[in-house]
Every structure is written in C-alpha cells, then in structure tokens.
Amino acid sequence: MAANHCSNICFLLLLLLSHFNLGKSQLQLNYYSQSCPKAEEIIKQQVIKLYNEHGNTAVSWVRNLFHDCIVKSCDASLLLTTVRGVVSEQTSGRSFGMRNFKFVNTIKAAVEEECPLTVSCADIVALSARDGIVMLGGPSIEMKTGRRDSKESYATVVEDFIPNHNDSISLVLSRFQSIGIDVEATVALLGAHSVGRVHCTNMVQRLYPDVDKTMDLAQAEYLKRRCPTPNPDPKVVQYSRNDQITPMIIDNNYYKNILQHKGLLTVDEELATDPITSPYVIKMAADNEYFHQQFSRAIILLSENNPITGDQGEIRKDCRYVNAN
C-alpha cells in the first residue's frame, strides 16, 4: 500500500516536472527556418540600423529581455500597453528609465512585412537582445526560438519578481534562483551593469545625507557632482554611467570597478563583498573571456524561462496589443 502511494506521488511529481520543462524543450534553434527563413536576419539588420541611429537602443534590448523574462515567462507581456482593461507592466516603478519601446514596433513591422503573424514579439525581444549584445561588444550567443506571446499583462506582480536596486544580494540571488539561474550565472547577468546608466534617483540614498561608508571617496565626490541634490526630479535626466572607461561595451570593467568600491548601486557593492558572490566577481574581473562565457550561459537560462509554446498564447500582430484589441 505504501509503495503504491509513493508510486502515485512520484508519478504526479514527474508529470508536473515534465509540464514545467515542456515549453523549454519545444524551443529550438532556427525555429523559423521554414515558416520565415529571413526572420532572424531581418531582426539583426534592424538592430544594427537602430544601433547606428540610436546607440542606446542596444542597451534597451538587453534590459527588455531581463524585465520580460524574469516576470512569469519570456512572453512579451512587458510590451503590452495600457488599453481596454490591460495595465502595462511598463507603469511599474521597476520600469523607471526604460525607453525605446517604440523601436520594438519598428523591428516587428519589418518582420510582419516579410511574414505576417508568424514571428512572435517574445522572440523579437530575445533575438534583439542577442544581437544587441553583439553590438555592445559582448559574446555571440546561440539562442533558441519558438516562443509565443502572452495574452495578458502581469503589472500587479512585477515587483514580486524584479528586485529593487536597494535590495540585498541574498534577495537578488533568491529571485534569480527561483527561475533556475544559479549564483555564478546571476553574478554574470549583473555584469550587464557594465553598459548604460543609473539615474540619480536610484543612487542618492548612498550619497545623502551621508556618503555610504563602503563607497570609494573619489567616486562619491564624482557622483555628488553628477547628482547635486538628495531629491532629484525623476523627470529630469540626471545620471551617471556605470562604467566611465568603456560605458557602451559589455566587459569585465564592471567587476574591476566594484572590487574598488566604485559600484553605483547597493547591489553592486554587496555583489563584490558577499562571500557567496565575491569569488565569482574576482574571477570575472581577472578574465573577460570567462565572464563572457558565463554571461552567455546566463542569457540563455534567462531567455528560456518558462516560455509559452505550442498552441498557448498567440502571435501578436502589433506588440503593443493582444490581437483581440
């Protein structure tokens, strides 16, 4: 009797596990080779064109991947706009500073012209991030496709998934581990902080009323010049680059900086000093190739988080709206 009971439970557990992994297993390389063979090249050319016209778009594509995939699924729910009962995830405070969403529509329109209602917005998020990483001097990553698009927004739970810039490294690690991203990969993913910028509103708590004792003093003085008030207007674009040496290259300078206590955010400082993460930080600071290898692995793990596949979801015609709208 006990053996039968165990057998039933084990069977149910295997069933749940297989269901969890089903979407991931249905992703494949060159998914559109028959249905839209030019899709990946069209996306790549659009990413290059947009980068040449607006360099910061490449950083946006990387951030889009993180914000989309960590919340429930890699399903382009991030791209839904607020309309007819849908509240956009972009309205969350976690989305502060995100931009260039309109250029996702530019990429989508180019793909739609070639293959109507064939390529998902979720795959455009993933592939534009992959190609954006290359434009930013990062590694070339083989990325599977076959994702479908969500029919709903998850605006009400965004903050349950995306850590705040002031959260502890232990909380950040637990959030990533909950979607299958291990410590080493998490350290590598945070290396995306090597590009882009941080708005003053997200770091003034480390400068006022007193400078965070863990911060390098020369760095603090520089940041005070960039952020001269403890209450910056969020509508005024006041910021500092994460990396002043190679601000638009995904490289290991980020790790070198945080080991010198020059990180901008609390999580940057804790990443360099926490005994769980610091060994990886030291190794990545010393070896850019190792960092790129782990960054590639982390991006793949992130991009394959719980995708919608098969007959689920839909292929949106316009990334901003579910097809019913």
Side-chain angles (χ1 to χ4, degrees):
M1 186 76 177
N4 285 338
H5 181 66
C6 177
S7 176
N8 290 337
I9 290 175
C10 292
F11 176 74
L12 285 171
L13 287 171
L14 283 170
L15 204 62
L16 285 169
L17 190 62
S18 66
H19 178 74
F20 179 79
N21 287 318
L22 186 62
K24 187 177 291 189
S25 66
Q26 287 182 346
L27 297 180
Q28 62 188 66
L29 294 173
N30 303 311
Y31 177 83
Y32 298 105
S33 60
Q34 298 297 318
S35 61
C36 189
K38 294 182 181 177
E40 293 199 24
E41 183 60 27
I42 290 170
I43 293 168
K44 179 181 176 181
Q45 291 306 317
Q46 286 293 318
V47 167
I48 292 170
K49 182 173 181 285
L50 288 163
Y51 175 83
N52 289 333
E53 293 173 359
H54 319 274
N56 58 37
T57 51
V59 180
S60 295
W61 307 151
V62 180
R63 192 175 178 192
N64 283 355
L65 184 75
F66 168 64
H67 280 254
D68 185 42
C69 290
I70 199 171
V71 179
K72 294 275 191 182
S73 165
C74 288
D75 58 8
S77 61
L78 169 71
L79 301 180
L80 290 171
T81 195
T82 299
V83 62
R84 285 190 283 280
V86 174
V87 178
S88 176
E89 292 174 24
Q90 297 167 32
T91 61
S92 168
R94 296 290 195 271
S95 300
F96 177 76
M98 295 186 77
R99 51 187 174 157
N100 294 320
F101 291 114
K102 63 183 178 182
F103 294 128
V104 179
N105 300 327
T106 303
I107 300 172
K108 175 65 170 173
V111 177
E112 282 295 303
E113 190 174 337
E114 176 73 16
C115 308
L117 287 173
T118 304
V119 179
S120 69
C121 298
D123 277 340
I124 288 174
V125 168
L127 293 171
S128 61
R130 179 195 69 179
D131 297 334
I133 286 166
V134 173
M135 299 309 295
L136 293 166
S140 179
I141 302 169
E142 279 199 311
M143 188 172 283
K144 294 177 181 178
T145 42
R147 301 164 189 80
R148 287 170 65 86
D149 299 324
S150 170
K151 293 182 180 180
E152 60 183 309
S153 166
Y154 303 112
T156 58
V157 296
V158 166
E159 295 187 11
D160 295 336
F161 289 89
I162 300 179
N164 187 286
H165 56 276
N166 286 323
D167 283 333
S168 67
I169 190 63
S170 60
L171 186 144
V172 171
L173 289 174
S174 70
R175 292 280 173 90
F176 279 96
Q177 285 170 339
S178 71
I179 64 165
I181 298 179
D182 56 73
V183 174
E184 190 175 20
T186 299
V187 175
L189 268 184
L190 286 172
H193 285 179
S194 67
V195 293
R197 59 195 189 179
V198 174
H199 289 260
C200 290
T201 51
N202 287 335
M203 58 182 172
V204 286
Q205 80 288 340
R206 298 192 71 205
L207 302 172
Y208 304 100
D210 300 306
V211 172
D212 186 330
K213 291 178 182 177
T214 64
M215 184 180 285
D216 174 81
L217 287 177
Q219 175 78 334
E221 289 306 311
Y222 167 77
L223 292 178
K224 278 192 167 185
R225 291 194 296 273
R226 299 291 302 176
C227 307
T229 169
N231 299 299
D233 183 347
K235 295 178 182 177
V236 176
V237 184
Q238 288 180 300
Y239 65 88
S240 175
R241 296 285 181 189
N242 284 306
D243 176 5
Q244 295 167 44
I245 301 170
T246 54
M248 292 295 285
I249 298 177
I250 295 174
D251 61 18
N252 65 343
N253 272 338
Y254 166 73
Y255 302 101
K256 294 175 183 178
N257 287 336
I258 63 175
L259 285 174
Q260 297 172 39
H261 306 287
K262 293 181 179 179
L264 305 189
L265 301 173
T266 303
V267 70
D268 300 329
E269 173 64 23
E270 290 198 8
L271 189 72
T273 55
D274 189 279
I276 295 173
T277 53
S278 61
Y280 298 117
V281 171
I282 292 166
K283 194 173 177 182
M284 289 180 195
D287 188 342
N288 194 57
E289 185 178 348
Y290 161 68
F291 160 56
H292 276 182
Q293 288 170 350
Q294 292 304 316
F295 187 75
S296 297
R297 184 175 72 86
I299 288 290
I300 290 169
L301 287 172
L302 178 65
S303 71
E304 294 183 3
N305 177 40
N306 193 32
I308 296 175
T309 58
D311 296 328
Q312 296 178 296
E314 64 181 9
I315 305 295
R316 288 186 218 138
K317 181 176 178 58
D318 185 316
C319 293
R320 297 169 296 179
Y321 314 107
V322 296
N323 289 337
N325 284 331

